[in-house]
Amino acid sequence: MLNSLFINHQDQKEALAIERRRRFEESRKQRIFNARRRLIGVDTETLGYQIQQKHESDQAQAEQQRKFAEEMRRQEQVLLLKQREQRQNRIREENELNRFRASHQKPEQSRDFDLFDPDGLKKSLPARLGDDDPRLSVSGAQIFDGEDLEERHRRKVQVEQQRSWLEQQIREKRQAEIDRRAAEKFLEDTLMSRENRLHQLASQEQYARGKIHEAVNEFNRRLMNEQEQQRMRRDREEQEDNLAEIYNNLTSDILTENPDVAKSSFGPNRVITAQYKGMSPEEIEQIRRTQELQLEELRRKRQTDANTRKAWDQLANDFDRTVTMKERELNRRRHALAEQIRQENHVLSLEQQRKLQHLDKVVYQNRPTQVYFDQFNTCSR
């Protein structure tokens, strides 16, 4: 009985609380949904007062921090001055102490300086200056058979040599590591630039072909100019030689018929140049053989020039053939890339169509009704 009364009392309290909340909600809805009684916004005067108080508090705090910073700077300056003064006093005292020691307490002025002189061993003579030292005696035990006097120098040289070998090995290992990294970097750059090169090859092809034609034309012009200059130089030298020969024949005794006047007393192969009358048949034959050799040399030189021009022509033809093959290879790659792009675009188009069909037939079919919109703005919360 008591439990039933307690339960009824609890239910009544809960019902009264629910009714009270319902009435509060109805009155709140009347205030909220009534455009004339609803106040939109906030209390600007209170907010302004709070902002002013906050601003004054910030200013007071900033002023306090500024005064505190000024006081800290002033104390730091005073502390720095004190430290500088103490350091100067300490330095002055140390300098005075060092001057006193340097002038009145020198080590060499002490009574027992000869006992702890650091240069005592340097000033004294060694026990042995050499194998011919007159102070060495038979019983001095300073000279022994098989003694290696250069051991210290030899060991020093060996240590230096080992150090140099080790440094050389270190340098070689570092250089090998640098070369390996450079090779890897070069390989990466090569792989990265291969694709860029394919794109650049199309634009550089026409430019390279023009440069090749210009280089071939320039080489032909230079070769023609060089050949013309050589021909003109040979003609000029030949003309000068002819004029010199005519002048020498006219101004010398070469037209005389007695060749004995040019014989010299210094030897059978010596002649007097001022009285030379002409050459013997043997000399003429020697000159003719020399001229034939020169003609043969000239023929070989012309053949060499012809071979050079032929080689350059063959090189130009080979370069043109290489450029043509590169152009064909580039066209094949361009067509293959276009076909691949077309296939990928076709696959993307099919995928996009499937997505659009899915959106139209599945996603966009759940359209909201009026019941969905009526559930909003039904309470004040």
Side-chain angles (χ1 to χ4, degrees):
M1 184 69 180
L2 292 175
N3 291 333
S4 61
L5 292 175
F6 180 76
I7 292 172
N8 293 330
H9 182 68
Q10 189 70 22
D11 293 339
Q12 291 178 0
K13 288 179 64 179
E14 292 181 356
L16 291 175
I18 293 172
E19 184 65 22
R20 185 171 59 254
R21 287 196 299 270
R22 184 180 295 111
R23 289 196 302 269
F24 180 76
E25 179 66 19
E26 292 294 334
S27 63
R28 179 179 174 81
K29 288 171 64 177
Q30 292 178 2
R31 292 195 311 271
I32 295 299
F33 294 149
N34 190 354
R36 294 183 178 180
R37 296 181 61 185
R38 184 175 64 242
L39 180 61
I40 300 176
V42 295
D43 190 357
T44 57
E45 295 180 358
T46 303
L47 292 178
Y49 179 72
Q50 292 177 357
I51 292 172
Q52 185 178 2
Q53 287 183 346
K54 179 67 174 177
H55 183 66
E56 291 177 354
S57 176
D58 293 339
Q59 288 182 351
Q61 187 176 3
E63 182 66 21
Q64 184 179 2
Q65 291 180 356
R66 186 184 61 80
K67 291 181 180 179
F68 182 71
E70 290 180 354
E71 183 65 22
M72 286 185 63
R73 286 195 295 271
R74 188 182 64 80
Q75 293 179 2
E76 287 178 356
Q77 292 178 358
V78 173
L79 182 60
L80 289 175
L81 292 175
K82 290 293 184 180
Q83 290 179 354
R84 188 180 297 109
E85 183 178 357
Q86 291 178 0
R87 185 168 58 254
Q88 291 178 356
N89 293 332
R90 186 170 60 254
I91 292 172
R92 185 172 58 256
E93 292 175 357
E94 290 178 355
N95 292 332
E96 292 178 357
L97 180 61
N98 291 331
R99 284 196 298 270
F100 177 79
R101 290 176 177 175
S103 59
H104 301 287
Q105 295 181 353
K106 295 181 179 180
E108 56 270 15
Q109 293 178 355
S110 62
R111 182 179 57 184
D112 300 331
F113 178 72
D114 55 342
L115 299 177
F116 55 86
D117 187 3
D119 296 333
L121 296 178
K122 296 180 181 179
K123 296 178 181 178
S124 62
L125 293 176
R128 177 182 178 183
L129 296 176
D131 293 340
D132 55 350
D133 193 349
R135 297 179 301 160
L136 299 178
S137 60
V138 177
S139 61
Q142 295 293 327
I143 300 177
F144 301 95
D145 293 335
E147 184 179 13
D148 189 5
L149 298 178
E150 300 295 332
E151 179 184 4
R152 183 178 298 175
H153 178 70
R154 190 184 70 255
R155 290 184 179 276
K156 183 178 180 181
V157 172
Q158 290 177 354
V159 170
E160 293 294 334
Q161 187 176 11
Q162 291 178 356
R163 185 183 294 109
S164 64
W165 289 347
L166 181 59
E167 292 177 355
Q168 183 178 1
Q169 291 177 0
I170 293 173
R171 288 195 300 269
E172 291 177 355
K173 289 183 179 179
R174 290 179 179 175
Q175 187 64 33
E177 181 67 19
I178 292 172
D179 294 340
R180 185 184 64 79
R181 293 181 180 177
E184 292 179 355
K185 184 65 170 58
F186 177 75
L187 180 59
E188 292 177 359
D189 295 341
T190 303
L191 294 176
M192 293 177 62
S193 63
R194 181 179 295 174
E195 296 296 332
N196 297 329
R197 185 61 180 173
L198 292 176
H199 295 288
Q200 294 176 359
L201 187 60
S203 60
Q204 293 179 355
E205 177 185 357
Q206 188 66 27
Y207 178 77
R209 186 181 294 275
K211 286 295 183 181
I212 290 170
H213 288 300
E214 291 179 1
V216 172
N217 295 331
E218 182 66 22
F219 175 78
N220 292 331
R221 285 195 298 269
R222 290 182 179 177
L223 184 60
M224 184 177 63
N225 293 332
E226 184 178 1
Q227 291 177 355
E228 183 66 23
Q229 291 178 1
Q230 290 179 359
R231 186 185 62 78
M232 293 174 63
R233 184 172 62 254
R234 287 195 299 270
D235 294 341
R236 185 171 60 255
E237 291 177 354
E238 185 178 359
Q239 185 177 3
E240 291 177 355
D241 293 339
N242 293 333
L243 292 176
E245 184 178 0
I246 293 172
Y247 178 77
N248 292 330
N249 290 330
L250 293 176
T251 57
S252 64
D253 296 333
I254 196 169
L255 297 178
T256 60
E257 297 180 357
N258 187 9
D260 296 334
V261 296
K263 293 182 179 180
S264 176
S265 60
F266 293 101
N269 295 326
R270 302 289 294 275
V271 295
I272 300 174
T273 57
Q275 298 179 2
Y276 186 65
K277 302 301 181 182
M279 293 184 294
S280 62
E282 292 79 5
E283 293 176 347
I284 295 174
E285 183 64 25
Q286 181 66 24
I287 291 173
R288 187 176 293 108
R289 287 195 298 269
T290 303
Q291 290 176 352
E292 291 177 355
L293 293 175
Q294 291 176 354
L295 290 174
E296 184 65 26
E297 182 67 23
L298 181 60
R299 293 194 193 95
R300 286 198 301 270
K301 185 176 182 181
R302 290 179 179 175
Q303 184 64 29
T304 302
D305 294 339
N307 294 334
T308 303
R309 289 195 297 273
K310 184 177 180 180
W312 276 105
D313 295 337
Q314 183 66 28
L315 178 62
N317 295 329
D318 294 341
F319 196 83
D320 291 338
R321 190 180 302 106
T322 303
V323 171
T324 304
M325 293 177 65
K326 289 292 184 181
E327 181 180 2
R328 293 177 182 175
E329 181 67 21
L330 182 61
N331 290 330
R332 287 196 296 270
R333 292 184 180 180
R334 190 183 295 111
H335 291 320
L337 182 62
E339 181 65 22
Q340 183 181 359
I341 292 173
R342 187 185 65 78
Q343 293 177 0
E344 291 178 356
N345 291 333
H346 181 67
V347 173
L348 292 176
S349 177
L350 295 177
E351 184 68 23
Q352 187 176 9
Q353 290 179 2
R354 286 196 299 271
K355 288 183 179 179
L356 292 176
Q357 292 177 1
H358 176 73
L359 291 175
D360 293 336
K361 294 181 179 180
V362 178
V363 178
Y364 297 155
Q365 292 299 320
N366 188 13
R367 302 183 182 277
T369 61
Q370 186 64 31
V371 177
Y372 174 75
F373 295 104
D374 293 338
Q375 66 180 342
F376 299 104
N377 202 15
T378 58
C379 64
S380 62
R381 297 296 177 182

